[in-house]
């Protein structure tokens, strides 16, 4: 502790580069040759005449797969990467390229069919959405979502005002969630999800509906989480949001990583790719 008050620092000893983008910590998420396959049961054999399902048939078929047929959808097919504390990683790619599946697997909501995922800390996939109830007020949902994230009742109460302020909902917080517009709902989910400063935060599409002011607040909040050594994954179709918020971008295509690296470079290549395929 002797050198605690030693303020003599050589400029050369300071970390190089911008602090917000430069200093990365230890690995927080390691994904190794991940495969996720959805099995859609009930697909019929080729050539079989489709029969209309009625309740009785469904009942007789329950738990069994009489046709013996199912379709496999290989949503993620061999993805490997390492994320570090302090990174915010944008995940881009066309519809159905496997972005949401990848995040759900990291969050532990889907079982890999092959490969491994290691996560240090508790991942939170803007996961409160699953527990929020449309018939209840925003106020009640803040408590439910907060508890689901592992906060205590007291902690949720302490952060209540901050969450409401962040969401920008004002008095609408006392109305049932089903009366909210898509954007209002997304803001509340984001505000609740980030209230706990999670180790690994994953945001899937939630920012798309926010207005400019909300996006700015979200960016600040994501920076804060990163500075507390968290890792943030953001899925978004808006390349501008991705560039504004991310220190790294992973481009998913048909279940594999097509490119991984600098946001400017990856988004430029993606834009070119989508333009090219649009003109074909
Ligand atoms: N619950 C499911 N059951 C069966 N197939 C699924 C399921 N969820 C996704 N898929 C399939 O997995 C593939 C990847 O889907 P995913 O939702 O991960 O894509 P995405 O990149 O998030 O797309 P988007 O940009 O539209 O959100 C798609 O072919 C999709 O049809
Ligand atoms: Mg998706």
């Amino acid at each position: 502790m002797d050198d605690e008050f030693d303020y003599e620092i050589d400029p050369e000893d300071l970390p190089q580069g911008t602090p917000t983008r430069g200093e990365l910590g230890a690995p927080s998420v390691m994904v190794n040759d991940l495969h996720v396959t959805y099995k859609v049961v009930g697909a019929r054999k080729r050539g079989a005449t489709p029969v209309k399902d009625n309740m009785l048939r469904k009942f007789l078929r329950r738990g069994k797969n009489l046709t013996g047929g199912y379709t496999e959808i290989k949503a993620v097919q061999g993805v490997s990467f390492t994320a570090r504390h302090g990174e915010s990683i944008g995940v881009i790619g066309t519809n159905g390229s496997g972005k949401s599946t990848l995040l759900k697997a990291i969050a532990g909501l889907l079982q890999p069919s092959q490969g491994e995922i290691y996560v240090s800390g508790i991942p939170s996939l803007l996961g409160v959405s699953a527990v929020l109830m449309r018939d209840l007020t925003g106020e009640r949902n803040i408590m439910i979502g907060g508890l689901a994230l592992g906060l205590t009742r007291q902690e949720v109460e302490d952060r209540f005002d901050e969450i409401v302020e962040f969401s920008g909902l004002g008095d609408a917080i006392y109305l049932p969630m089903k009366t909210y517009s898509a954007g209002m709902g997304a803001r509340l989910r984001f505000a609740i999800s980030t209230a706990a400063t999670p180790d690994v935060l994953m945001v899937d599409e939630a920012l798309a509906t926010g207005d400019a002011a909300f996006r700015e607040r979200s960016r600040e909040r994501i920076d804060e989480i990163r500075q507390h050594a968290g890792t943030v994954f953001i899925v978004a179709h808006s390349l501008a949001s991705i560039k504004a918020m991310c220190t790294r971008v992973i481009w998913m295509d048909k279940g594999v990583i097509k490119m991984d690296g600098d946001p400017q470079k990856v988004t430029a290549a993606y834009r070119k790719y989508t333009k090219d395929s649009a003109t074909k």
Side-chain angles (χ1 to χ4, degrees):
M1 296 298 266
D2 284 337
D3 55 1
E4 201 180 346
F5 296 105
D6 179 8
Y7 286 116
E8 279 185 33
I9 301 170
D10 248 349
E12 283 102 62
D13 293 336
L14 288 170
Q16 299 299 311
T18 48
T20 49
R21 300 207 174 221
E23 300 158 18
L24 293 182
S28 56
V29 176
M30 283 168 77
V31 175
N32 181 30
D33 190 30
L34 176 71
H35 292 249
V36 181
T37 303
Y38 293 102
K39 285 198 169 91
V40 185
V41 186
R44 295 194 172 79
K45 279 184 190 138
R46 202 187 291 260
T49 1
V51 258
K52 206 170 176 294
D53 254 356
N54 58 28
M55 288 309 282
L56 177 65
R57 220 173 252 131
K58 270 195 193 139
F59 176 72
L60 292 173
R61 206 162 37 85
R62 74 201 186 284
K64 303 173 201 152
N65 178 17
L66 292 180
T67 58
Y70 58 81
T71 311
E72 280 193 342
I73 298 172
K74 296 182 192 301
V76 173
Q77 313 183 46
V79 163
S80 304
F81 67 89
T82 301
R84 295 177 174 279
H85 291 285
E87 271 189 314
S88 57
I89 302 178
V91 183
I92 59 172
T94 51
N95 293 130
S97 54
K99 304 178 297 295
S100 299
T101 305
L102 175 64
L103 293 202
K104 282 183 195 154
I106 295 172
L109 300 173
L110 283 175
Q111 188 71 22
S113 46
Q114 191 186 316
E116 297 97 36
I117 301 167
Y118 305 97
V119 182
S120 88
I122 301 168
S124 145
L125 172 65
L126 212 55
V128 296
S129 328
V131 299
L132 301 188
M133 293 181 210
R134 289 174 42 76
D135 288 330
L136 300 182
T137 61
E139 182 190 22
R140 294 283 299 141
N141 274 303
I142 289 178
M143 182 54 78
I144 294 169
L147 294 174
L149 288 173
L151 297 176
T152 63
R153 188 166 283 274
Q154 187 59 50
E155 282 169 331
V156 181
E157 274 164 18
D158 292 347
R159 290 172 208 193
F160 182 81
D161 289 344
E162 200 188 315
I163 296 172
V164 177
E165 196 186 309
F166 188 93
S167 74
L169 283 173
D171 284 346
I173 203 74
Y174 302 108
L175 294 175
M177 262 191 93
K178 65 181 172 197
T179 65
Y180 294 179
S181 70
M184 289 161 78
R187 290 154 72 131
L188 182 60
R189 281 194 291 279
F190 187 85
I192 299 174
S193 301
T194 57
T197 312
D199 299 310
V200 177
L201 171 70
M202 289 174 273
V203 184
D204 194 344
E205 298 291 355
L207 305 174
T209 39
D211 55 27
F214 180 70
R215 272 205 303 276
E216 179 52 29
R217 283 205 298 280
S218 309
R219 198 183 57 74
E220 283 167 16
R221 189 73 187 103
I222 286 168
D223 277 349
E224 240 171 77
I225 293 173
R226 286 200 299 120
Q227 272 148 27
H228 283 91
T231 306
V232 186
F233 288 89
I234 302 164
V235 173
H237 285 284
S238 150
L239 298 184
S241 309
I242 291 277
K243 276 193 281 187
M245 295 189 203
C246 301
T247 57
R248 171 180 170 188
V249 174
I250 290 178
W251 168 11
M252 292 284 294
D253 188 50
K254 301 186 187 86
V256 299
I257 293 181
K258 191 151 173 121
M259 204 171 162
D260 175 357
D262 174 67
Q264 296 294 338
K265 284 188 191 143
V266 179
T267 52
Y270 176 67
R271 180 167 285 145
K272 184 171 182 312
Y273 170 86
T274 45
K275 258 197 198 128
D276 285 354
S277 48
T279 52
K280 260 176 206 160

